Amino acid sequence: MSIKVENARKQFGDFVALDDVSLEVRDGSLTALLGPSGSGKSTLLRVIAGLEAPDAGRVLISGEDMTQVPVQNRNVGFCFQHYAAFKHMTVRDNVAFGLQIRKRPKEEIAERVHELLELVQLEGWVDRYPSQLSGGQRQRMALARALAVEPKVLLLDEPFGALDARVRMELRQWLRRLHDEVHVTTIFVTHDQEEAMDVAEQIVVMNEGAVEQAGRPTDLYDHPATEFVMSFVGTANRIGSLLVRPHDVQLAHVPSSTSEEAMIDRIVRLGFEVRVEMTLGDGNPLIAQLTRSQVDELELADGQIVYVLPSRARVFDENGSEPRTEELALA
Amino acid sequence: MSQGAVATAKAPPRPGHRLGLGGPGLTRGLVVGYLSLMVLLPVAAVAATSLEGGIGAFWDAVSAPQAVAALKLTVISSLIVVAINVVFGTAIAWVLVRDQFPGKRFVNSLVDLPFALPTIVAGLVLLALYGETGILGIEGISFTRVGVVMALLFVTLPFVIRSVQPVLLELDAEMEEAAASLGARPLTIFRRIVLPNLAPAIVAGAALAFARSVGEFGSLVLISGNIPFETEVSSVYIFGQIESGNTESAAAVSVVLLAISVGMLFLINLLGRRMLRHGS
Amino acid sequence: MAVSATDSGARNIVDGGRAARYGLRTVALGYLGLLLVIPVALIFYKAFEDGFAVAWEAVTTPEAQHAIYLTVLMVVISIPITTVFGIAAALVIVRQRFRGRALLNAAIDMPFAISPVVIGLSLVLLYGSRDGWFGQDLAAAGIEVIFTPVGMALATMFVALPFVVREVIPVLQEIGDDQEQAASTLGAGPWQTFWRITLPSIRWGVTYGVVLATARALGEFGAVAVVSGRISGSTETMPLYLRRLFDTFNVSGAYAAAVVLALLALTVLFAMNFIQRRDRAILAGPSVATEPGAVVPHLDVTDDKENPR
């Protein structure tokens, strides 16, 4: 089912959480809402779910206006950041809850619960209570619970936020595979750009209650629409008025007409990749990403003075939006 | 319950979230209605009756020598009881949290006994032990002011303990370790680190103990002997006034009693909030 | 207020050595012993001093039986109403934002701050058939409140009012509203959410409040003494009956009645203890281990050892 948000506004007191936000999500896609905390991404997700009523604007699910439909009747699957596991119910009862509310026959519920617990690999845990599960297991149980009612859309609020790094990596891949299997339109909220790039087919970057840019991960990375997107999706250096990705920084021992002087502070060898941390003449820091062989070839060392030349860079106008120059090929 | 006086909602629900039974307004209306009918209206009746005969009559009732003596005894013995509770309550809470000894769990559940035991039984119990024919043979506690204080100590025992215990349990041990690593000795750590963190809880428990002491009746009727000017506390005095049909005078003294305990609770609440602001 | 003596005695930074520890322990336990244990044990001794038969007789007279019946009746009337009110009030205070919320929260504590005698007086002033605010009208309608069990029930409801609210509020705050929201996204309406999610989550808090309120209702003396008129065999509850036995120099009878009440109290104490342990065992597990190293529930926590794929 496709999701469409039109001109949504939401204000909490003086704080504008959503400022005229519009959004379109294709049927069956996997979309990330990416942004720093306070950017309105969670509010947008809650507005789509019906947990929050927008002050203005509309929410459409597969073309149908759902703005006035209460959360109970929207048939959305929602996963909470802290799982919101029903602590007094077993895993089985948690997953069965939505079906029981819908008064499905007992056998059907049992079958469906079994099916879902298999899907999330919790077959052996049906009679456990949430407090007996690990964080990752609780999250998978919450997913099974949300999926049990065959929701039109699946909404996940920071689904991996409360987990440690290793479990988070595993669950990410697992979510992508799950989506391939189930094919339900999915939106998840995250503040981790790597997570968004890794999992999502489409990323919607939000900042200060507004959508900065929406598109495929590579599009956002290669063609950021605003300075915010450029620095939030991937890292970016500032050299004068230019914004440069670390892997687009070239180093040389001799100056050229357009190069900048920089001093190497530290060389960090991360396996194949080497991060060179420098300070520019104007005092700004600069990071270059090189390969091991490049560093060896240049015989770089701490304290050296080098000359920096961006191979690709971007210039944005004063207020950080509207790239003035789409791309500069300087090398 | 011991936290009642300083209970403030600490986790406001996210704004805009709407869940309610039969409409939030209806539930709220029923709750406020019940409370008004059950508590506020009766209290208003006491206040109104106390002023029925005018300010003059109110003052006469309150300043009657016997009433003054009763109020004085009530307030002074309550203050003594609170002071003892603060010291022993904190010590007991400390022992129950930090010390290890066999039977600790039993002792811990014993602390709630005064909440569970009917007050009249509490009075009888103390009379049995410390009364004139008491088993320990300690003379002269029943029908004395010491007896009044003893009874009040019994019924108020759990307040400070139950208020301090959870705070002590959750106190960050690293603070004390940090202080120790900086060279502070045990007593200094207790005074400079532990006590300031416990203070709001101690004060909250003390406030409830005070309010309870000021109004206590059941445990006192037997042990105090109710001798006017000697062991008669205000609640007993009010009871006597009701029995002899002086409801206006009873209401007047009630209002003073009410003002004392509510005023104390309010003050403590204010103090507690100030301390909490520093604490967190 | 449900506090269990959780073992955290390993923290011995503020210790001050063995002498200090034993000293403090002796003082604390000695105080408890003198104030609590010895006196309460003594009633049992006193009650059976003149033999079991005497004690048994004192609590099985028709008067005593009626007193027991009336005491139980007070509980049966007042506690269900108090419980429903308590849950509703806690939900209103925790889950709703409105003007005057702090005032409502404070007003609920008032019965803790009012002397039982004053509570009794207030009811007499409202419902007294001679000059109460509503007493005459009610009397005209054939309803007598003061000197009847109706007034006693009102007094009991007054004193018992805050207990359930006070126990449920912290539980509601702790569980938050995530689970309720999750239920609503799964299609549950407000009542379904209440019965299936909220109530089961707060049940031990409710039970604990009910136990405390019941203890108070069983033992209430002052407020009931004022409104009952203490008519033996008619408006006399156990505590009032005890007092009359004592005043009429039937001391061993008074102790026997005290034993009955003390046994009820010990049952309450046992229930409180039991509830605390249940509470901790079942619902204690923090729903979220927000970060690695967060407190882990004591139930067997399994790690993500099996690979989620």
Side-chain angles (χ1 to χ4, degrees), chain A residues 86-105:
Chain A
F86 301 144
K87 284 191 253 182
H88 58 290
M89 295 183 190
T90 58
V91 170
R92 174 190 286 118
D93 290 340
N94 262 279
V95 177
F97 184 85
L99 297 167
Q100 287 169 352
I101 292 291
R102 285 164 178 75
K103 301 211 162 49
R104 296 283 167 76

Side-chain angles (χ1 to χ4, degrees), chain A residues 72 82 88 100 102 138, chain C residues 181 186 188 196 287-288 302:
Chain A
Q72 284 89 354
H82 297 298
H88 58 290
Q100 287 169 352
R102 285 164 178 75
R138 273 182 228 171
Chain C
Q181 290 186 38
L186 293 166
R196 305 185 62 148
S287 61
V288 280
T302 40

Side-chain angles (χ1 to χ4, degrees), chain A residues 20 29 68 105 173 190 197 218 273 286 298:
Chain A
D20 199 27
S29 66
Q68 300 304 322
Q173 296 161 12
T190 180
M197 304 272 285
T218 48
E273 180 188 298
L286 176 69
L298 287 164

Side-chain angles (χ1 to χ4, degrees), chain A residues 240-280:
Chain A
S241 63
L242 304 177
L243 281 172
V244 187
R245 298 277 187 212
H247 51 74
D248 292 334
V249 175
Q250 294 191 330
L251 301 182
H253 285 299
V254 285
S256 74
S257 56
T258 48
S259 67
E260 297 268 343
E261 203 179 67
M263 188 173 81
I264 297 177
D265 300 319
R266 206 158 82 97
I267 298 172
V268 187
R269 292 173 184 269
L270 308 154
F272 173 71
E273 180 188 298
V274 180
R275 194 171 72 223
V276 183
E277 299 173 4
M278 294 162 282
T279 307
L280 285 165

Side-chain angles (χ1 to χ4, degrees), chain B residues 9 14 99 125 171 215 243 261, chain C residues 25 39 101 113 115 173 178 230:
Chain B
R14 266 160 258 155
D99 202 356
V125 156
L171 202 61
E243 293 285 276
S261 57
Chain C
R25 188 191 298 173
R101 189 175 138 274
S115 174
Q173 283 171 343
D178 274 14
R230 288 165 292 148

